[in-house]
Amino acid sequence: LTSGETPIANGTGSPEFRAWISLAHAYGHVSKALDRSLTQEHGISLAWFEVLARLSNAEDTRMRLLHLSQALVVSKASVTKLVDRMELAGLVSRVTPAEDKRAVYAALTQHGSATLAKALPLQVHNIRQSLSGLGQDELESLQGMLDEVIRGFDAQWRAKD
């Protein structure tokens, strides 16, 4: 803030800014705790867990790297590096379909599926613990609000494509 400037005058006191700060702060704490727990108990990061979970729920337990990067909201280069490390660990494999040699997929391996199955109960427990201060109505309201924010971004990105 400059001399004499108030948080309201520069925008940092706005409801949107305060909500964003709270969201970033909450996400930081929760993701750090989830990552620490997964790393200590199962030797995988939160990012690896999310890839395994996304692939597990995908058709044929595989996704194009482009679609995986979009789902994770990271760059294709970041997802490529992530998949490289996970492939070395035997959790995923790269698949290039015969019908489209340009497409590269990440596919869940048996080891990846087994790792996810072992880590999932801990992750569910930790998420429930992290959100235990909220009642069912509050959780549903929070999900609805966050889904609305996501829809807004999805619409913006579709408009740019």
Side-chain angles (χ1 to χ4, degrees), residues 29-72:
H29 280 297
V30 171
S31 62
K32 184 176 181 179
L34 295 175
D35 187 69
R36 184 182 315 119
S37 180
L38 285 167
T39 300
Q40 289 173 349
E41 297 295 323
H42 297 286
I44 62 171
S45 67
L46 180 58
W48 285 24
F49 178 88
E50 188 171 356
V51 169
L52 294 175
R54 297 244 181 212
L55 293 177
S56 175
N57 288 316
E59 185 176 338
D60 296 327
T61 64
R62 68 183 194 167
M63 289 179 75
R64 280 184 81 148
L65 293 187
L66 174 63
H67 297 148
L68 185 57
S69 71
Q70 291 167 342
L72 298 172

Side-chain angles (χ1 to χ4, degrees), residues 4-105:
E5 192 175 20
T6 66
I8 298 298
N10 74 7
T12 60
S14 71
E16 296 87 355
F17 190 85
R18 290 193 326 265
W20 174 77
I21 290 292
S22 293
L23 177 62
H25 194 89
Y27 176 77
H29 280 297
V30 171
S31 62
K32 184 176 181 179
L34 295 175
D35 187 69
R36 184 182 315 119
S37 180
L38 285 167
T39 300
Q40 289 173 349
E41 297 295 323
H42 297 286
I44 62 171
S45 67
L46 180 58
W48 285 24
F49 178 88
E50 188 171 356
V51 169
L52 294 175
R54 297 244 181 212
L55 293 177
S56 175
N57 288 316
E59 185 176 338
D60 296 327
T61 64
R62 68 183 194 167
M63 289 179 75
R64 280 184 81 148
L65 293 187
L66 174 63
H67 297 148
L68 185 57
S69 71
Q70 291 167 342
L72 298 172
V73 194
V74 298
S75 69
K76 189 164 183 288
S78 293
V79 106
T80 297
K81 291 176 189 173
L82 187 62
V83 168
D84 286 346
R85 293 190 305 273
M86 293 179 73
E87 189 172 31
L88 287 174
L91 299 169
V92 301
S93 62
R94 288 177 195 273
V95 177
T96 303
E99 65 273 6
D100 185 359
K101 295 289 186 190
R102 295 170 298 159
V104 179
Y105 288 77

Side-chain angles (χ1 to χ4, degrees), residues 127-136 138-139:
I127 290 169
R128 284 186 176 140
Q129 188 175 3
S130 295
L131 300 174
S132 65
L134 302 176
Q136 188 65 34
E138 292 167 314
L139 288 169

Side-chain angles (χ1 to χ4, degrees), residues 145-159:
M145 288 184 280
L146 294 173
D147 286 347
E148 192 59 36
V149 171
I150 293 166
R151 276 191 289 279
F153 277 103
D154 286 348
Q156 286 177 10
W157 288 115
R158 275 193 299 277

